[in-house]
Amino acid sequence: MINVTKPFFPRQDLFQRYIDGIWQRGWITNHGPLVNELELRLKEYLNVPHLLYLNNGTIAIQIAIKALELHGEVITTPFSYVATTSSLVWENCTPVFADIDPDSLNIDPVSVESLITDRTTGILATHVFGNPCDVEALKKIADQHKLKIIYDAAHCFGTTYKGAPIFNYGDISTTSFHATKLFHTAEGGAVFTQNAELLKKMAYLRNFGHETPTSFAMVGINGKNSELHAAVGLSLLPHIGEILSKRKEQYKYYNDKLCNLQVERQKLVDPEGYNYSYYPILFSSEGLLERSIAELNKYNIFPRRYFYPSLNRLGYVERQDCPVSESISSRILCLPLFHDLSEEEIDMIARLLLRVQNN
Ligand SMILES: *Cc1c(COP(=O)(O)O)cnc(C)c1O
C-alpha cells in the first residue's frame, strides 16, 4: 500500500539513547531537559529567535489566537486544513473567508482588504503546501487597519522566503510536528514570534497560566509536550538534511514523469526556498480527479484530496462564497511523497495517471 505520506522513523539506536536518559532521570514531561534541548536545536536549525514547543499544531493556533486577543471577525483562508478554521470557531471568533489566488493557492490580499469591517481584529492565513503567502501585501494591510497576523505555517519546516525563515513572519507563526509532516515528533507543534512579550504570554498560556506553583497570570491551557515526543524530534533532526534532499529528487522525478499529464501546478513564490513538502496536481475537472483516484486505489495507492472541502462550505460556518477556492478544492490532489517512495513507485503512479487521461 502506498499512502500520500508515511512517517519517517529515526534510527532506533539514536532514539533508544534518549529514552535511556528519560528512564535514568525519571523525568517524563513538564519542561524537561529534552524539550529544552529540542527547542534550542530547532532555533539553531531554523534560524529563528524564539519558539515554544507544544503538544500539537492545533493548540499552537489556539494559543496564538488567545495571545493576540483576537475576537469578532478574523479574515482567513478557505483553502487549508480544517484546523485553521475550527481553531477560530473554538476561540469564539467568526471566520470571514477571503478567496485565494489561483496561482499561489494562498489567500488573496485584495480579497482580504475588501472584507475588513470595524469588527475585524486579525488575519489568519496559511502558507499552503509550504508556499509563502504574499507576506508584504498582508503586512501593509494589517498595519494600515491595525490588525494582527497569524500564519499557519504547518507545512513550512525549512521553508525560507527571500533567504529568511518563513516562521519569522506575522505577529505569530504556528507549525505542526504531526507524524504526517516533513519534520515530526509523532504529535507536536510550535509557535514562533519575534516579540519577547508575546513569547512570555504564550509560555503562560502553554502551562495553565502558572506564574508560580500557587499563582496564575492568566487563563491558560495545557499545551506542553513530553520528553518522549521531544526524543523523537531530537533523533529525527540528524536525518533532516537527507529527508529534504530526497524529497527534492523525488519531486523532480515526478515532474519528469508527469510532463505529459495535462494538469496545472501551484506557482511557487520562491522556488529557491521551497521545502518540497507536498506534490499537488490540479486536474481540469472533478470527474477526471475522481477517475484518477479510483484507478490509483485499484492498485492500493492512496493519494489525498488536500484540501477538500473548501472551508467556507463547513456546516458550522456562515455561508460565504469563494468560487476560486471551491473550484480548486474540487480538482486538486496530493500525490504520495515521502522519504522512501521509490522511482519505480513514481513510475507506476505516473503510468496510471496518464492511462486515465488518455482513455
Ligand atoms: C497538520 C495541520 C494542522 C494541524 O496540526 P496538528 O499538529 O495535527 O494539530 C493545522 N493546519 C494545517 C494547514 C495543517 O496541515
Side-chain angles (χ1 to χ4, degrees):
M1 189 166 79
I2 306 176
N3 280 318
V4 66
T5 184
K6 181 164 144 190
F8 183 91
F9 278 76
R11 264 173 44 203
Q12 214 171 344
D13 59 326
L14 283 181
F15 182 62
Q16 191 59 48
R17 229 180 300 152
Y18 285 112
I19 296 302
D20 291 344
I22 297 175
W23 256 247
Q24 277 158 20
R25 287 186 293 273
W27 190 348
I28 201 160
T29 190
N30 282 7
H31 319 293
L34 296 187
V35 164
N36 291 335
E37 189 182 336
L38 181 63
E39 287 185 340
L40 273 172
R41 300 269 295 276
L42 285 174
K43 270 191 266 189
E44 268 168 30
Y45 180 80
L46 297 168
N47 189 26
V48 297
H50 307 296
L51 75 89
L52 294 174
Y53 178 50
L54 303 172
N55 46 14
N56 63 65
T58 306
I59 284 286
I61 302 172
Q62 288 175 213
I63 285 180
I65 294 169
K66 270 277 195 290
L68 295 170
E69 297 172 28
L70 300 190
H71 57 277
E73 296 175 359
V74 176
I75 300 175
T76 189
T77 176
F79 193 66
S80 182
Y81 185 60
V82 71
T84 316
T85 299
S86 63
S87 300
L88 284 172
V89 176
W90 196 276
E91 296 301 331
N92 284 318
C93 296
T94 305
V96 173
F97 295 98
D99 211 342
I100 58 169
D101 175 273
D103 298 322
S104 72
L105 309 184
N106 290 322
I107 201 165
D108 178 357
V110 176
S111 173
V112 171
E113 191 150 35
S114 74
L115 292 165
I116 294 172
T117 70
D118 52 11
R119 294 178 300 282
T120 311
T121 58
I123 299 167
L124 169 53
T126 301
H127 303 300
V128 172
F129 305 135
N131 192 32
C133 289
D134 189 342
V135 289
E136 285 103 0
L138 291 172
K139 171 114 176 56
K140 206 166 145 204
I141 294 168
D143 287 348
Q144 241 162 32
H145 298 270
K146 299 196 166 37
L147 305 177
K148 302 292 185 190
I149 302 184
I150 300 171
Y151 285 113
D152 179 345
H155 305 161
C156 295
F157 193 89
T159 298
T160 58
Y161 176 63
K162 297 185 177 168
I166 195 68
F167 294 134
N168 282 351
Y169 287 88
D171 294 282
I172 299 174
S173 270
T174 69
T175 200
S176 164
F177 301 140
H178 183 256
T180 54
K181 309 298 205 257
L182 196 155
F183 170 83
H184 77 90
T185 65
E187 292 277 354
V191 282
F192 303 81
T193 182
Q194 312 259 52
N195 177 321
E197 275 301 301
L198 272 176
L199 184 79
K200 191 170 161 198
K201 195 168 174 187
M202 292 194 287
Y204 283 134
L205 291 171
R206 163 171 75 167
N207 189 32
F208 306 99
H210 268 294
E211 197 162 29
T212 69
T214 52
S215 67
F216 298 89
M218 61 191 76
V219 177
I221 197 165
N222 184 357
K224 292 177 280 104
N225 213 338
S226 79
E227 292 291 279
L228 296 165
H229 291 85
V232 175
L234 284 167
S235 39
L236 207 148
L237 262 183
H239 297 284
I240 195 69
E242 143 208 355
I243 293 175
L244 288 166
S245 58
K246 190 69 203 283
R247 291 178 92 96
K248 184 171 178 179
E249 282 170 29
Q250 292 163 323
Y251 192 98
K252 300 222 147 116
Y253 193 77
Y254 258 128
N255 281 349
D256 269 2
K257 291 291 150 177
L258 294 178
C259 63
N260 290 323
L261 192 71
Q262 285 145 27
V263 289
E264 284 173 78
R265 309 298 172 120
Q266 177 182 39
K267 188 155 178 281
L268 297 179
V269 171
D270 182 352
E272 290 295 301
Y274 190 52
N275 66 356
Y276 303 93
S277 48
Y278 292 86
Y279 196 89
I281 51 175
L282 183 59
F283 290 93
S284 55
S285 74
E286 189 168 17
L288 194 52
L289 166 114
E290 284 169 345
R291 285 199 297 284
S292 301
I293 295 175
E295 183 70 10
L296 290 169
N297 288 174
K298 266 196 247 166
Y299 295 84
N300 274 325
I301 301 165
F302 298 96
R304 277 289 293 268
R305 294 186 70 172
Y306 290 142
F307 297 107
Y308 181 85
S310 185
L311 298 170
N312 56 309
R313 289 294 178 202
L314 286 168
Y316 53 77
V317 301
E318 217 169 291
R319 204 200 142 92
Q320 298 162 59
D321 290 329
C322 297
V324 179
S325 174
E326 286 167 49
S327 165
I328 284 171
S329 161
S330 71
R331 294 182 286 122
I332 198 158
L333 189 66
C334 281
L335 298 181
L337 184 61
F338 48 84
H339 56 281
D340 61 356
L341 180 71
S342 68
E343 292 192 342
E344 291 70 30
E345 288 169 323
I346 297 178
D347 288 340
M348 175 152 105
I349 293 167
R351 218 164 38 238
L352 294 170
L353 290 171
L354 286 162
R355 186 200 289 174
V356 173
Q357 171 184 285
N358 299 331
N359 255 344

